[in-house]
Amino acid sequence: MTFNFKTTTKILLGISLSSLFMLGCTSTPPVQSKAPSQQVTINAVSPTGIGAAIGSIQLEDSNAGLVLHTQLSQLPAGPHGFHIHEVGSCEPASKDGKMGAALAAGSHFNPNKAQNHGTPLTGHLGDLPVLNVQADGTAQVMLVAPRLKLADVQGRAIMIHAGGDNYSDSPKALGGGGDRIACGVIQ
């Protein structure tokens, strides 16, 4: 057997480069997001109080606006009105002499005094995209509120309504979402 210097050098160089490449791949730390984020626990709500946790929503700033990652269960299937409300409370309160679920959260977050409820681009700042719940009662989706940042919503409540949202005040006020069925306080 003869020794071929060129062939042996090429093989050793290939092994060395492969080893360095593999070492570089395994020792490089993952890129970490520096965007502010917060996880909010969502609870069922009723006129008698705050119920059990039904999941969470991760809120995170992005170049596109506030990103909402939902991990929710035990909700009625179909579309639901989804909004940021002005007060950080999910407690029931009285309106017109009748107790209502999470009424202590106040109205939709509307610091710009928009005249009407609308889309996430045209209405109140608290108007979010409709939350669509699967037939099994889960909502594991990512939604974007393009005009919001996490700092805007801290100290407020995030609300899920019983009905859908047509992004209009007609034929029913505030998109027709109706009763408040789930709520979380954004710390």
Side-chain angles (χ1 to χ4, degrees):
M1 183 167 161
T2 60
F3 177 75
N4 184 329
F5 183 74
K6 280 187 175 180
T7 302
T8 303
T9 302
K10 287 181 183 178
I11 291 172
L12 289 174
L13 183 58
I15 292 171
S16 297
L17 289 175
S18 295
S19 297
L20 285 173
F21 176 74
M22 293 302 288
L23 178 63
C25 286
T26 58
S27 64
T28 304
V31 176
Q32 297 293 320
S33 171
K34 299 294 183 197
S37 69
Q38 181 179 347
Q39 184 166 314
V40 179
T41 299
I42 304 299
N43 293 78
V45 292
S46 74
T48 60
I50 300 170
I54 61 165
S56 65
I57 299 174
Q58 184 74 27
L59 305 174
E60 182 176 55
D61 281 339
S62 78
N63 291 338
L66 184 65
V67 178
L68 300 95
H69 299 274
T70 68
Q71 293 292 322
L72 303 167
S73 63
Q74 304 174 42
L75 289 167
H80 294 273
F82 193 38
H83 310 102
I84 302 294
H85 283 246
E86 59 192 356
V87 179
S89 175
C90 294
E91 294 293 331
S94 179
K95 181 178 179 183
D96 300 327
K98 184 179 175 185
M99 291 300 285
L103 288 180
S107 298
H108 293 180
F109 177 54
N110 188 20
N112 295 346
K113 307 292 186 226
Q115 291 294 318
N116 298 303
H117 173 67
T119 72
L121 291 173
T122 65
H124 308 138
L125 281 182
D127 292 341
L128 300 175
V130 169
L131 178 68
N132 287 301
V133 177
Q134 301 300 310
D136 66 357
T138 63
Q140 298 177 356
V141 298
M142 181 186 78
L143 303 168
V144 178
R147 298 184 297 161
L148 291 174
K149 296 287 183 208
L150 183 58
D152 299 330
V153 299
Q154 289 179 318
R156 307 198 184 283
I158 190 163
M159 194 74 62
I160 301 169
H161 292 265
D165 188 340
N166 69 0
Y167 300 122
S168 172
D169 284 322
S170 177
K172 292 185 178 182
L174 302 172
D179 291 339
R180 301 166 186 202
I181 61 170
C183 178
V185 174
I186 306 165
Q187 300 295 327

